[in-house]
Amino acid sequence: MADDNVVYIGNKPVMNYVLAVVTQFNNGASEVAIKARGKAISRAVDAVEVARNRFIEGAKVKDIKIGTERITTDRGETNVSIIEIVMAK
Amino acid sequence: MADDNVVYIGNKPVMNYVLAVVTQFNNGASEVAIKARGKAISRAVDAVEVARNRFIEGAKVKDIKIGTERITTDRGETNVSIIEIVMAK
């Protein structure tokens, strides 16, 4: 998968990320990876579900991975959960 | 999988759910399903990651499913995302 077929989920409204996913598929991507960490994980699942159910015909969830990343904040190092959801159509 | 090998993630601190998962395995379960919806999805991933990395030797994530459920609130019907993570050891 090319690097640009990735949508990183942040703190914006869900529909922003749904649009990003839809755009990638419309531009010819056969797979799109949706990545998030921490509290944005819930929003990542929302974005995938809305894209899949309402916008992208025949889209499937091909793979879901979870994991842990070590990040440095102003209060020292901490662990954060991550998710990567691969959609394919 | 027996019905009681399920841990539902709510709004309590993550460690409560980690303890619930660890207890199920210690009681002899070979698989435990962790289920959450909405904003609790992030906490479900946290609970699985903490249990797997710090408490349950050899535990693996066997399966992850996401989906959408229709729920009724005081403001009418709405969709909510769900996740189910199956841990095995």
Side-chain angles (χ1 to χ4, degrees), chain A residues 2-84:
Chain A
D3 258 6
D4 49 5
N5 291 346
V6 176
V7 173
Y8 291 95
I9 307 294
N11 293 318
K12 294 178 188 164
V14 173
M15 287 309 291
N16 291 43
Y17 304 109
V18 173
L19 182 64
V21 171
V22 171
T23 303
Q24 302 251 5
F25 278 116
N26 285 348
N27 287 344
S30 59
E31 291 187 8
V32 176
I34 293 89
K35 296 186 181 188
R37 55 190 195 183
K39 287 190 195 308
I41 287 174
S42 309
R43 194 171 296 117
V45 175
D46 287 342
V48 169
E49 285 297 301
V50 172
R52 191 169 69 84
N53 290 327
R54 299 219 304 242
F55 293 99
I56 308 166
E57 200 139 345
K60 282 181 295 197
V61 173
K62 187 183 170 190
D63 191 35
I64 307 176
K65 286 195 188 76
I66 60 173
T68 302
E69 255 179 26
R70 197 144 184 86
I71 59 165
T72 306
T73 69
D74 44 3
R75 292 186 299 174
E77 288 210 322
T78 185
N79 290 325
V80 65
S81 299
I82 57 170
I83 197 167
E84 177 177 346

